Amino acid sequence: MDQKIIVTVDVVLLTLVGERLEVLLSRREREPFAEQWALPGGYVHAVEDADSLAAARRVLREKASLTSPYLEQLYTFSGATRDPRGWSASIAYYALVSADTLRPASPAPFELWPVDELPRLCFDHARIVDGALERLRSKSAYSSLPCYLLPPAFTLTELQQTYEHVLGQKLDKSAFRRKLADFDFLEVVKDAQRTGSHRPAQLYRIREEKNLMLFDRTI
């Protein structure tokens, strides 16, 4: 008799804390790998979940009390050796949230870990994290993707710094702002400025109709 295939979703939820990308992890409550660190995940519910995207959204909602503004399918990781319970397939997603949204919402069993200082992860979750980071960095070079790591309103300086932290390189300020004007995916937040030790800075947000925008050249 054929063994039943295990089908799950796992979510790499990424945020930017200061200058570092961090990922949300939790300790597993049961075997296999009880008490070891893992990504938020769970079984696909055939009756409840319309598709794997619905399952990923449910997992984030139920396990981390979160709704991510950006959730994208990454890859399907499968095989006979990745789960000691048997042949399994994990439909992996990655999600982006701003840190100020995440911290109040995430329950105690979850912790944020810098992506370059991860503990040992169970199953093949380290491979899944690596895949999500590669996708985020490559896609950020030609899209508005890093905006989803920011709060709804942000300054142009904050936006540039976010791109720099994700891409791991400095960007020329003048060239960056010229490209922002050409790509035209931002709009001014009226009567809103960020105040601090320097002069007030205008706040911007993503145009509602734009969502994720792909550019015709790199940022």
Side-chain angles (χ1 to χ4, degrees), residues 8 13 15 18 20 23 32 50 116 122 141-142 155 178 181 209:
T8 62
L13 193 141
T15 192
R20 307 177 76 177
V23 63
D116 55 354
C122 57
Y142 60 89
T155 68
R178 282 197 303 271
E209 70 275 14

Side-chain angles (χ1 to χ4, degrees), residues 188-207:
V188 171
V189 180
K190 294 181 179 179
D191 302 319
Q193 294 182 326
R194 178 89 72 239
T195 57
S197 56
H198 302 287
R199 65 180 182 178
Q202 177 65 54
L203 294 180
Y204 294 81
R205 63 187 170 206
I206 305 173
R207 291 184 186 276

Side-chain angles (χ1 to χ4, degrees), residues 74-187:
L74 178 64
Y75 189 73
T76 298
F77 296 81
S78 61
T81 59
R82 60 179 304 274
D83 190 322
R85 294 169 294 187
W87 208 102
S88 69
S90 172
I91 306 168
Y93 284 78
Y94 74 104
L96 305 179
V97 295
S98 65
D100 56 353
T101 298
L102 176 60
R103 287 193 178 280
S106 57
F110 287 86
E111 289 186 20
L112 286 172
W113 284 79
V115 296
D116 55 354
E117 296 179 5
L118 295 181
R120 182 176 180 180
L121 302 182
C122 57
F123 303 107
D124 53 358
H125 287 189
R127 182 183 170 206
I128 297 175
V129 173
D130 288 343
L133 291 172
E134 182 179 358
R135 175 75 61 84
L136 170 63
R137 286 166 174 154
S138 63
K139 198 166 186 174
S140 292
Y142 60 89
S143 77
S144 60
L145 190 55
C147 293
Y148 292 96
L149 293 167
L150 286 160
F154 46 82
T155 68
L156 295 184
T157 297
E158 290 167 345
L159 179 60
Q160 179 174 341
Q161 290 172 343
T162 299
Y163 270 94
E164 291 174 341
H165 298 328
V166 170
L167 297 174
Q169 64 184 63
K170 283 289 185 181
L171 300 173
D172 179 79
K173 179 178 178 180
S174 297
F176 179 79
R177 297 200 175 188
R178 282 197 303 271
K179 290 179 181 179
L180 290 182
D182 291 342
F183 298 149
D184 191 31
F185 66 98
L186 301 177
E187 64 182 7

